[in-house]
């Protein structure tokens, strides 16, 4: 007969009774009143002043969030203005694939009056697309729409046909406002072919201290706004039985945890955007609607520059974690968004293109 497990453990313990500490103290078996060593144990760290090889003076310090870092998204009146990108100063005659062209297309960009949204809007106009800028600040959107056309005209002297760039208001977290904006864009342009959901913002509070109403607003803009515009434009495309392409703007924060600033709700919101893009890509593939995601890293927008001027320690910390050794600029997204909207990526859907200087690789 085979001995019971308890008996075998007891025999093994007795045969090893001469084994020296530092192993775990023996347990008593109530059934046989015999001492035996547990199946698993951990050798305690050395004492008496000796350091364990894994110990460090900065143990985990650079991989943690710092609750003292608090950055609140500024009021609209305090937001720094975003300048129009200076282009080539002339027409573009270099040969490139025709599939990158957005000629005869209409693109809608949410959050297009400033920051990343404005620069990506300019990329689409330069690539031949007509454009509808949708923003919470309609006055600024109208001003930027005019500047985009002026810059295009300056860079393409002698070109008779100018892009049609319009400005529209929307509270992206409000379904009625979103539907009204989409209907207005269609009435002005006749249709929508492409969508870029750039409306979004981040704040830095530790999770426990984050005001709940502000967290709801953050999720409303970043997640609800993305979802509402995506399904609204998808309905329009399906009614037309027309192909289309969407780029949802996520963040590398949807795949990693930023340090040292705490921003758990934002990270989770951008993770939602990334997976929403993948899910919608599968759901709408049969309708010839492609949905992809761009996840930017640290980008030197006008707002980011303002924050880092006040917190140079953050700039140094962020840069030290980027393999290419520098932060990105909004212009680094121009090629990425044009590629994913155009026929150059017609067999790509559900992808997450990280434009982060390699941050998420280390």
């Amino acid at each position: 007969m085979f001995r019971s497990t308890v008996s075998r453990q007891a025999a093994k313990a007795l045969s090893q009774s001469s084994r020296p500490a530092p192993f775990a103290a023996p347990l008593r078996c109530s059934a046989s009143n015999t001492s035996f060593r547990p199946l698993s144990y951990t050798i305690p760290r050395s004492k008496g002043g000796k350091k364990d090889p894994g110990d460090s003076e900065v143990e985990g310090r650079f991989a943690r969030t710092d609750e003292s870092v608090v950055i609140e998204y500024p009021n609209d009146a305090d937001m720094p203005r975003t300048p129009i990108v200076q282009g080539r100063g002339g027409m573009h005659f270099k040969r490139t694939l025709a599939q990158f062209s957005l000629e005869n297309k209409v693109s809608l960009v949410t959050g297009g009056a400033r920051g990343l949204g404005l620069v990506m809007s300019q990329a689409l106009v330069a690539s031949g697309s007509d454009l509808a800028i949708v923003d919470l600040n309609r006055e600024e959107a109208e001003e930027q729409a005019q500047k985009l056309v002026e810059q295009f005209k300056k860079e393409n002297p002698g070109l008779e046909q100018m892009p049609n760039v319009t400005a529209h208001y929307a509270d992206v977290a409000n379904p009625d406002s979103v539907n009204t904006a989409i209907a207005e864009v269609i009435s002005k342009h006749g249709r929508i072919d492409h969508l870029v959901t750039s409306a979004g913002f981040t704040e830095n509070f530790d999770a426990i201290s984050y005001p709940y109403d502000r967290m709801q607003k953050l999720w409303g803009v970043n997640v609800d706004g993305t979802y509402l515009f995506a399904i609204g434009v998808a309905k329009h495309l399906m009614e037309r039985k027309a192909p289309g392409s969407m780029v949802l703007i996520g963040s590398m924060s949807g795949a990693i945890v930023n340090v040292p600033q705490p921003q758990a709700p934002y990270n989770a919101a951008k993770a939602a955007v990334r997976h929403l893009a993948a899910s919608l890509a599968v759901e709408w593939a049969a309708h010839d609607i492609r949905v992809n995601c761009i996840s930017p890293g640290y980008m030197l927008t006008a707002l980011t520059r303002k924050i880092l001027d006040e917190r140079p320690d953050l700039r140094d910390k962020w840069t030290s974690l980027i393999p290419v050794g520098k932060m990105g600029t909004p212009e680094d997204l121009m090629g990425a968004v044009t590629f994913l909207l155009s026929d150059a990526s017609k067999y790509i859907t559900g992808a997450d293109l990280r434009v982060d200087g390699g941050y998420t690789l280390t």
Side-chain angles (χ1 to χ4, degrees):
M1 289 180 62
F2 293 100
R3 291 179 296 174
S4 68
T5 301
V6 172
S7 299
R8 284 187 280 112
Q9 291 291 341
K12 185 176 181 181
L14 288 172
S15 67
Q16 297 180 351
S17 58
S18 61
R19 185 186 300 273
F23 291 93
L27 298 179
R28 303 292 297 182
C29 176
S30 58
S32 60
N33 203 30
T34 305
S35 299
F36 68 93
R37 178 173 54 83
L39 292 175
S40 63
Y41 48 85
T42 301
I43 301 176
R45 290 187 175 186
S46 301
K47 297 181 179 179
K50 293 184 178 180
K51 284 189 176 182
D52 185 271
D55 285 342
S56 170
E57 296 292 338
V58 292
E59 183 179 332
R61 180 158 60 93
F62 296 118
R64 296 174 183 161
T65 56
D66 182 353
E67 294 181 2
S68 68
V69 178
V70 177
I71 301 173
E72 188 172 316
Y73 197 74
N75 295 324
D76 198 68
D78 299 324
M79 285 287 291
R81 300 302 292 270
T82 302
I84 298 297
V85 176
Q86 299 301 307
R88 300 175 302 274
M91 294 184 69
H92 179 48
F93 291 108
K94 292 182 179 180
R95 283 181 286 183
T96 188
L97 287 173
Q99 293 137 301
F100 284 97
S101 173
L102 298 177
E103 296 283 346
N104 302 316
K105 300 294 184 181
V106 177
S107 302
L108 187 161
V109 180
T110 68
R114 58 172 65 126
L116 302 181
L118 177 61
V119 176
M120 288 188 288
S121 293
Q122 189 169 356
L124 305 187
V125 170
S127 300
S129 179
D130 287 339
L131 175 69
I133 295 176
V134 177
D135 203 276
L136 188 65
N137 189 325
R138 183 164 192 160
E139 181 179 345
E140 188 172 354
E142 290 173 345
E143 180 183 337
Q144 299 290 31
Q146 182 179 348
K147 287 182 177 179
L148 284 177
V149 175
E150 290 173 354
Q151 184 68 24
F152 183 87
K153 186 175 183 178
K154 180 181 178 182
E155 294 179 1
N156 297 276
L159 196 64
E160 294 182 1
Q161 185 175 354
M162 290 293 106
N164 181 15
V165 181
T166 58
H168 309 267
Y169 165 85
D171 174 356
V172 300
N174 183 301
D176 293 334
S177 182
V178 170
N179 292 334
T180 299
I182 290 175
E184 187 179 283
V185 171
I186 295 171
S187 70
K188 293 285 187 180
H189 292 269
R191 70 185 193 278
I192 301 170
D193 300 297
H194 302 310
L195 171 68
V196 179
T197 59
S198 187
F201 70 95
T202 182
E203 294 188 304
N204 304 112
F205 293 88
D206 69 276
I208 293 175
S209 302
Y210 206 140
Y212 183 65
D213 60 332
R214 298 194 69 87
M215 188 193 75
Q216 285 184 306
K217 181 181 178 182
L218 182 142
W219 269 75
V221 173
N222 287 283
V223 181
D224 296 353
T226 298
Y227 176 77
L228 291 172
F229 265 96
I231 62 172
V233 172
K235 287 178 183 178
H236 165 69
L237 291 168
M238 292 175 190
E239 289 169 359
R240 288 171 49 208
K241 293 183 170 54
S245 181
M246 303 182 187
V247 173
L248 312 187
I249 304 303
S251 170
M252 69 174 184
S253 304
I256 54 94
V257 177
N258 301 68
V259 290
Q261 71 279 15
Q263 51 185 52
Y266 177 79
N267 296 350
K270 287 304 185 179
V273 169
R274 177 167 58 94
H275 201 57
L276 178 63
S279 301
L280 296 179
V282 174
E283 193 166 326
W284 297 341
H287 298 279
D288 205 8
I289 299 172
R290 297 187 298 110
V291 187
N292 290 291
C293 181
I294 290 178
S295 292
Y298 288 119
M299 294 286 163
L300 284 169
T301 63
L303 177 58
T304 304
R305 291 179 187 275
K306 181 178 183 295
I307 292 171
L308 295 183
D309 284 344
E310 299 169 358
R311 293 293 304 266
D313 57 314
L314 280 181
R315 179 196 60 220
D316 295 342
K317 174 63 175 177
W318 292 354
T319 305
S320 72
L321 296 171
I322 304 172
V324 301
K326 61 181 180 179
M327 295 176 62
T329 64
E331 294 91 318
D332 293 324
L333 299 178
M334 297 177 85
V337 70
T338 302
F339 167 66
L340 288 177
L341 288 183
S342 73
D343 287 343
S345 62
K346 63 183 179 181
Y347 198 58
I348 298 176
T349 193
D352 177 28
L353 178 55
R354 297 181 190 174
V355 186
D356 64 357
Y359 188 105
T360 54
L361 300 177
T362 60

